[in-house]
Each structure stands twice: as structure tokens, then as C-alpha cells.
Amino acid sequence: MAEVHHFAYGVTTPLLAYVMSVVGSLLGLMCTARARAADGTRRASWLGLAALSIGGTGIWVMHFIAMLGFRVPGAQIRYDVPLTLLSAFIAMAVVGVGVFTVGFGGAHMAPLLSGGVVTGIGVASMHYTGMAAMHTSAHVGYNAGLVVLSVLIAMVAATAALWFTVRVRGAWATAGAALIMGVAVSGMHYTGMAAMRVELHGGGPVPDGARPFDFLLPLVVIISLLATVLLVLVAMSPTEDELRDETLRSAASGSASGSARGAAPSAPESRPPLITPRGSPNNPPRERS
């Protein structure tokens, strides 16, 4: 069994991974809060942005920041670029399924559980797809029991996250929920990493693929910066209550204008003539007796 380092740079990578998971989760929760106050395409747009935030930044970026600290002494590590990008798509797609399920289905038990199970399995699939994208000269295996545990953690974490998206209100509650989601995502990741079993086979050939710091680091930095900028922009946008008030005012204004257009025109007032007609010459007016 080879020695495996999950924290090659100390607490730097797990701490940064957790911070970005919280940032992505916070941005996603803020988007779903605004989705609750919107309808139709506006709601779908907010939910789509939430899926990108939670799946892309809160889960995928967290995973690969943590992977920057992964080392196996004596083994070369490279990454399959298409498979790595596929793992990002999986993360955003499955979170999208979950948030749309509860976003339009409400906080009822059926959509919450179904969305949580699908999203949890998808998040675990993203994790192990990302691990499959890691090419190494060593042999990598997994402990089946810890793999199952990591999937269960992912499903519980996903269900809790979806519950937060439809229930949590207020700045402090949203921030607290994001901190909890960060712990859950990080816990799932490191449980999956603990399931790894690595064996060295001597000096094997250098595997194909991109080196971590040549490929992952620029990609992670760009996505992290975009997520931070989006977080600031969404924080400056109207809140859920403000959007709901605006929707109610628009509905009331439309109702009032419709009533005014549908009202029947009033009959003109009957006024006395301004000039009293005089009698004709052939029929002079009668004299009063």
C-alpha cells in the first residue's frame, strides 16, 4: 500500500476548498430565494443560476481545489481534460435537476426526497468521474464500504441542501445554511478520498494528460473569481421580499388599468339648451292672458 497525502500543502487546500464550497452554496441559496418570488421564465433563470453556482462552484471547484493537495510520493499524476470537464457538467446538471424539482414542486416530501436522491447520486458520480479523470502510474482501487458511505453522505447532504433552498429566509439563516452545506460537501469529498487504495508498481511510464497546476489551477481560479463577482452582484440585486412586493404592485397596477379599460362609458349629462328657440313668423308665440 502506497503512502497517500491528501494535504500536501497543509490546511491551505482544504480551507480554500471549504471557502469556495461556502461561496458557491451561498450564491445558490441567494438565487433560489429570488426564484421563490418570481414566476415562469424569471424563476427558471434564477434556478439555473443556482444550479451553476452550487454545482459548479460549491461542489466541482471544491473537489478540484482539494485535489491540488493530493500527492502520492513516487507516482506521477495527470488529468484527462475531457473527462474532467464532463465531471463539471455532471455536477451542474444533477444540481439543476434537484433545484428545478423543488423549485417548481415545492417543499413537499415527494419532490424533496426524489430530488435529493437524484442529486446525491449525481454528486457522487461527479466525484468518482473526477477521480477517473486522474491518471497515475500507480494502481488505484476503492474500499466498497467507504464508497457506499460517501454516496449516502452525498444523498443526505443534497436533500438538506434542497430543503434549505425552499425554506431558508433571512441573511443570517442563509449564511448558516451555506456553512453547513460546505461542511457536507467537504465531508463527502474526503470520505470518498479515504476510500482510495493506492499501490505503486515501480517506475512506470508518465501517464497521459495535463499536469494539475497547468490545467486545474487556472480553471479553478477563473471560476472562483466569476463566482465571487456574481455573489457581489446578486447581493446588490433586489431581495426576495422586494421582488415579491414588486410583483404584487405590478399585478395590482395591471388589474386597475384593466378595470379602467373595461368600464362602460358614462352617459352624457342632460343640460338645458343655452339658447331658447324663438317661434316662427307664421306661428308667433301666444300671448299670455
Side-chain angles (χ1 to χ4, degrees), residues 18-251:
Y18 175 72
V19 168
M20 288 315 302
S21 183
V22 171
V23 168
S25 300
L26 182 60
L27 178 56
L29 290 174
M30 292 169 66
C31 291
T32 54
R34 284 152 178 80
R36 290 194 296 259
D39 292 315
T41 55
R42 291 182 64 189
R43 173 176 291 186
S45 298
W46 281 116
L47 292 176
L49 184 56
L52 294 176
S53 304
I54 298 174
T57 304
I59 296 173
W60 188 85
V61 169
M62 178 272 150
H63 171 87
F64 281 102
I65 289 180
M67 289 306 296
L68 289 174
F70 178 76
R71 291 286 183 277
V72 178
Q76 297 285 339
I77 295 176
R78 297 290 186 271
Y79 283 92
D80 183 318
V81 175
L83 203 54
T84 302
L85 297 178
L86 175 62
S87 69
F89 174 79
I90 291 173
M92 292 181 287
V94 296
V95 173
V97 170
V99 297
F100 273 83
T101 299
V102 300
F104 285 97
H108 304 295
M109 190 61 67
L112 186 61
L113 290 179
S114 60
V117 170
V118 171
T119 303
I121 293 175
V123 169
S125 299
M126 169 262 141
H127 173 86
Y128 290 106
T129 301
M131 296 307 298
M134 184 187 72
H135 294 172
T136 178
S137 54
H139 173 73
V140 177
Y142 290 94
N143 180 291
L146 288 176
V147 169
V148 172
L149 178 60
S150 69
V151 175
L152 292 176
I153 292 174
M155 289 191 291
V156 173
T159 304
L162 293 178
W163 186 86
F164 287 146
T165 63
V166 293
R167 289 293 187 183
V168 172
R169 284 173 171 78
W172 288 108
T174 302
L179 292 172
I180 295 172
M181 289 169 66
V183 171
V185 173
S186 298
M188 180 269 156
H189 171 81
Y190 285 108
T191 301
M193 294 303 293
M196 290 185 65
R197 298 293 181 267
V198 180
E199 295 180 4
L200 292 175
H201 294 296
V206 176
D208 296 332
R211 291 186 296 182
F213 278 86
D214 291 343
F215 166 58
L216 289 180
L217 186 60
L219 191 62
V220 163
V221 168
I222 291 172
I223 296 176
S224 301
L225 289 175
L226 288 175
T228 304
V229 171
L230 279 175
L231 179 63
V232 173
L233 293 177
V234 172
M236 296 172 62
S237 68
T239 64
E240 177 185 2
D241 292 335
E242 290 171 343
L243 288 172
R244 184 173 287 109
D245 291 343
E246 179 184 349
T247 302
L248 291 175
R249 284 196 300 268
S250 299

